[in-house]
Structure formats: C-alpha cells, structure tokens
Amino acid sequence: MWKNTEVARRLGLAAPIIQGPFGGGISSVDLVVAVCETGGLGSFGVHHLDANGIRDVASRIRARTAVPFALNLWIPLDDADDPQIDDGAFARNTAVLQPYLTELGLPAPQRPQRYAPPYAEQIEAVLEARPAVFSFVFGIPSQGVLKRCRELDIVTLGAATTVDEAIALAQAGVDMIVATGFEAGGHRVSFLRGAEESLSGTFSLIPQVVDAVRIPVIAAGGIADARGIAAALALGAQGVQIGTAFLACEESNADATHRQMLFSPDARYTGLTRVFSGRLARGIRNRLMNELQPYAAQIPQYPIQNWLTGAMKKAAGAQQRYDLMSLWCGQAAPLITHRDARSLMKALVKETSSISKGMGS
C-alpha cells in the first residue's frame, strides 16, 4: 500500500504527502491546517518571522488542529545571519531599483539596522513551540540543536540538492531528507557547493540519494500530481513534498496575482535567477527578472536584496503588476488544476491509489 511508508508511519500521516514550506510570508495557517486535516503534513516557513511571530504562528495552528505540522527555518549562510553592505553599495543597488519603485509609487528605502530576524532567537522559538517536525534548508543545524530536537521528540527534516549534501545530513543525525531537484520552484537550497553547480533533476537525484543513505528520502521538485507521486515512490522515495500545486491554492498567502499567474500560459516559462532575493531561485520569467539580470553580478547577497525588493513585491501584487514581482513557480506548474487545498489533497490520494492499484502495489 503506497500510503504505508516509513515517513507516513513516523509522522502519523494518512498519506506521505508534505506541503512545501513557503518563505517570505506566503505560508499561511489556513493552508497548513487544510493539509493537516486531510491527512498530509502542513508546513509553515517562518524564516521571515521574529521569535514572537514564530510563537504566534505555532499557537494559531494548534488552536485549529491537533495533528502534526512542520515549522521551517533557513540555516544562515556561513553561520552569519546579519550581512551588511556599506552606504555606497546600498545607494548603488537602490538606484538600480529606483525606476521600479517610482513606477509603483514607492519611496526610496531607508537602510535598516538588520535585514532579517536573528537566527539564534528564531531557533529558540521553534524549539519552544515544539512542532512535530522541524524542517530546514541551506545547511545543517548545530549538533546542539539536533540533540535538543531528539530530546523534545521533534523529527528533523533537512533538504539536499546533491548526494553529498544528503550524506552530510545523514551523518549529522538528521532524521529524514528532502531531496529536491532543480525543477522545484522558489529557492535552490544548496549548501555544500554553489547553487549553480547543484542542479540535478529530481528523478536522477532521488535514486542516487536513496542508494547513498539509510534514512527516509522525500522527493521534491517537479511533482504536482499523482503521476509524480507514483514515480517518486517507484524510485525509492518514502514520501513527496509538493510546493507549487499548494502555493496555487486559495488557502496560501501568495498574492492573488501570483496565484493567477501559476495557472497562466506564462507558467510554462520559468528561469533561475538571483535578482529577486540574492539567492538562486526559480520563478516565472517576467519583465523585472529580465531587466535586472544585467545587474546580477552587483546584486547584494540574501537577505539584503530580498529586503530591498520586498516592498516592491507587496505593492506590485496590490496593483496587479505581475511584471514587477517575484513569481516563484516550479516546472510542473502546467500540471496543476486545483485551487483548493482540501480538494487537491483528496485528488492526490485518490489518483495515486488508482495508479498504485494498477501497478499492483
């Protein structure tokens, strides 16, 4: 029975389907609850929140569901969560964005003290919240954090884009691995080598990772329907993580313009770029991606560039300016058909069961 995998048993799921965690404020309690209540694992990306925000999210989820859920954090690059640039670099990068800020009716941004919340405070809040699952990307938490997770009975779920990263996660004592191919939407979560050097496809990566480690592997990237689930399980995965199909649902906190674009013909054309956030990410090609690309070499690292473009994305969404916002999107977007998370979950389970039955498993 395809639903009875080690991932499903360990996490208490009716089906081994995990909703991808969305960063930058596009996760929502509504989406987490909808997925959890229909048998999957709902996930909330909290890396943009401070400690109080993380506690509040966990509390609001628990007020609406008693089943397991995941909180997701980004591991700071090189253990530094507060990178800075000098006044000259800030001014130069602001100048590049100024025509778009003017077009959107926004003032020039004023340099903040910090560009993102402190990681040390975030991780303490996650441990205090004690979700069933702590998932993370862009690295491996310290041994101290992993030890505390084991003591608190929190399952740890780390993301890998290469076999070497999967091995590193397993050797560190992480419980499960999300092996994510370059087809996935959003950020490429590489941490051992550059993201541009870590672009294996999902269905070549999965069997290699399964062969390399002894802990459960969850497939991600390019999976949007039951056919993808069945294929991933056939390659040895114990579960799947699905992002874009859930992002397109009305329960997500993605802007309505963003969700609409995921169903448009434009979703067939995605690209990898650093221009929106300072880290390599996949989204729908649009005017802003194309026009900023010549400046890619001077764009500051995450989270500085992400902060600089953050106000633009919010304003562009409100003005339905899809040409001036980041539109995270995986390559499987043309396969999505559902706009409601509960109906999506039910369809995935029903159709995967039908395929599994036809395959005699």
Side-chain angles (χ1 to χ4, degrees), residues 147-162:
K147 181 175 182 289
R148 290 174 66 188
C149 287
R150 289 191 290 271
E151 293 171 347
L152 293 169
D153 199 26
I154 299 172
V155 175
T156 51
L157 186 60
T161 64
T162 66

Side-chain angles (χ1 to χ4, degrees), residues 66-250:
V67 298
F69 63 91
L71 296 181
N72 176 272
L73 269 183
W74 292 19
I75 307 300
L77 182 66
D78 299 326
D79 294 322
D81 67 344
D82 188 26
Q84 295 291 333
I85 54 176
D86 61 31
D87 290 340
F90 186 87
R92 286 192 299 274
N93 283 285
T94 300
V96 170
L97 298 176
Q98 189 57 57
Y100 310 107
L101 294 167
T102 300
E103 206 170 322
L104 292 167
L106 295 173
Q110 300 300 307
R111 190 173 182 183
Q113 289 187 334
R114 288 187 63 97
Y115 293 94
Y119 170 74
E121 295 177 11
Q122 291 178 315
I123 192 64
E124 286 300 322
V126 168
L127 293 171
E128 179 185 321
R130 199 174 176 179
V133 178
F134 168 40
S135 67
F136 45 88
V137 295
F138 289 114
I140 307 173
S142 69
Q143 280 298 309
V145 168
L146 293 175
K147 181 175 182 289
R148 290 174 66 188
C149 287
R150 289 191 290 271
E151 293 171 347
L152 293 169
D153 199 26
I154 299 172
V155 175
T156 51
L157 186 60
T161 64
T162 66
V163 173
D164 288 343
E165 289 176 352
I167 292 172
L169 287 162
Q171 290 177 340
V174 173
D175 294 314
M176 300 179 183
I177 293 171
V178 175
T180 174
F182 84 121
E183 301 95 330
H187 288 87
R188 301 303 304 137
V189 293
S190 308
F191 61 93
L192 288 183
R193 302 179 71 177
E196 287 88 351
E197 301 176 67
S198 308
L199 297 177
S200 295
T202 300
F203 293 104
S204 61
L205 179 64
I206 297 306
Q208 293 182 62
V209 172
V210 168
D211 289 350
V213 302
R214 296 192 176 187
I215 58 177
V217 176
I218 296 157
I223 301 171
D225 63 13
R227 293 170 294 180
I229 295 174
L233 297 178
L235 291 172
Q238 296 287 305
V240 298
Q241 180 171 285
I242 296 175
T244 303
F246 283 114
L247 185 63
C249 294
E250 59 187 15

Side-chain angles (χ1 to χ4, degrees), residues 41 61 73 114 129 200 259 293:
L41 182 72
I61 294 172
L73 269 183
R114 288 187 63 97
S200 295
R259 296 198 308 272
Q293 198 58 40

